[in-house]
Amino acid sequence: MVFSTNLLLGAGGQSTGPDHFTHTVLGNSVWLDGSADTLAKTFSSGSAQTKVVISTWVQRNSFGSAQDIFSATGGTGGATRSNRFSFQADDTIDIQVETTALATIIYSTTRVFRDIGWYHVLVSIDEGSITPDQTRLYINGEQVDITVTTLSGTFSAALSSFGNAALHNVGSNGGTGTFLNGYQTQTTMLVGQSIQNGDVAVTDFLDAFTYGTNGSQFAPKKDSDVAALASTAGGNSFCLDFSNSGSLTGYFLLHFQTP
């Protein structure tokens, strides 16, 4: 794995206005090779959650194949239960929700994501929200339409894996199979919170700046700002800033909120 400090958004040298993006906001990303690289942590304690927010910046290096962005495997309901979101072979995004009551719900986009630049991907899940609004996907600060494409049971019980005593992986599905080929940075999970419930907002993860004559665009919040969100959320919450190679050892050591 190597680090990138000059790729993020590609906007650092493009803006002439006073409020411009600079790579010092997010200094490092981690490169995952698409075949074996993943970052993994199995939480030793925790419980089934009804709310969770997961946020990350992703830059893809290849297209046309299934690639997981973030997953959690195991927890309440059995070792094969999985919560995850991923790029599909047609470059759409799926969100898989599995519950402690053994329900499986898969939400899919119709939009495709084939840009070379960075995406900010945010998933907010709230079992207590009304049925059409239990799962939300935001890309670059805008909510993206998702539809249920697989339904086995109902989303009426807690999540099996996210935030639970389970294996969590950045860039793969449980450490096997569908590995991400690309860069990731500022990967964050807030346990016990959701956007639907008003615990946090998209603007807690993104700033808006004016880039020359191109109008206002979203840009990353500083690592320290997002880390502060994780420090006040529930146990097993985290923010990864990949500040140095040592941060990859037991990768949740940075800004990690214990149960």
Side-chain angles (χ1 to χ4, degrees):
M1 298 177 185
V2 298
F3 295 93
S4 167
T5 58
N6 60 357
L7 291 176
L8 197 55
L9 293 185
Q14 296 176 15
S15 172
T16 57
D19 292 325
H20 62 279
F21 176 78
T22 163
H23 73 274
T24 58
V25 175
L26 285 177
N28 298 285
S29 60
V30 62
W31 172 65
L32 305 172
D33 68 1
S35 63
D37 287 346
T38 185
L39 304 177
K41 171 72 176 183
T42 300
F43 292 108
S44 59
S45 60
S47 59
Q49 300 295 318
T50 61
K51 297 187 293 183
V52 67
V53 177
I54 300 167
S55 164
T56 189
W57 288 90
V58 180
Q59 184 184 52
R60 305 187 69 186
N61 284 350
S62 69
F63 306 90
S65 64
Q67 301 178 36
D68 269 70
I69 303 168
F70 188 82
S71 70
T73 306
T76 307
T80 63
R81 306 306 289 165
S82 180
N83 302 143
R84 53 195 283 249
F85 54 98
S86 55
F87 295 110
Q88 301 304 295
D90 61 358
D91 298 316
T92 57
I93 290 178
D94 275 7
I95 304 168
Q96 177 174 307
V97 171
E98 293 196 324
T99 74
T100 59
L102 305 187
T104 298
I105 304 98
I106 297 179
Y107 304 84
S108 302
T109 68
T110 56
R111 288 177 55 180
V112 298
F113 301 93
R114 299 183 180 127
D115 290 341
I116 297 173
W118 284 86
Y119 290 110
H120 181 258
V121 181
L122 188 153
V123 174
S124 179
I125 301 174
D126 190 334
E127 179 267 325
S129 189
I130 60 174
T131 299
D133 197 39
Q134 288 175 306
T135 300
R136 292 186 189 179
L137 172 66
Y138 296 84
I139 303 294
N140 296 340
E142 296 184 356
Q143 188 171 357
V144 173
D145 289 338
I146 54 176
T147 58
V148 174
T149 53
T150 298
L151 179 62
S152 174
T154 60
F155 192 1
S156 56
L159 298 164
S160 60
S161 310
F162 280 150
N164 204 346
L167 171 65
H168 289 64
N169 281 89
V170 174
S172 77
N173 177 19
T176 62
T178 50
F179 292 91
L180 179 71
N181 187 336
Y183 296 88
Q184 272 189 263
T185 193
Q186 204 182 73
T187 302
T188 303
M189 181 169 73
L190 306 183
V191 175
Q193 298 188 354
S194 75
I195 290 179
Q196 294 93 317
N197 195 54
D199 302 300
V200 289
V202 174
T203 50
D204 289 320
F205 299 88
L206 295 171
D207 272 325
F209 293 105
T210 300
Y211 292 108
T213 60
N214 295 324
S216 179
Q217 301 178 30
F218 280 117
K221 288 273 192 180
K222 293 187 294 185
D223 285 325
S224 57
D225 291 340
V226 180
L229 301 176
S231 68
T232 58
N236 295 340
S237 299
F238 62 84
C239 175
L240 310 179
D241 62 12
F242 304 123
S243 58
N244 55 64
S245 60
S247 301
L248 297 180
T249 303
Y251 76 95
F252 285 114
L253 293 178
L254 287 175
H255 313 303
F256 169 51
Q257 181 79 344
T258 56

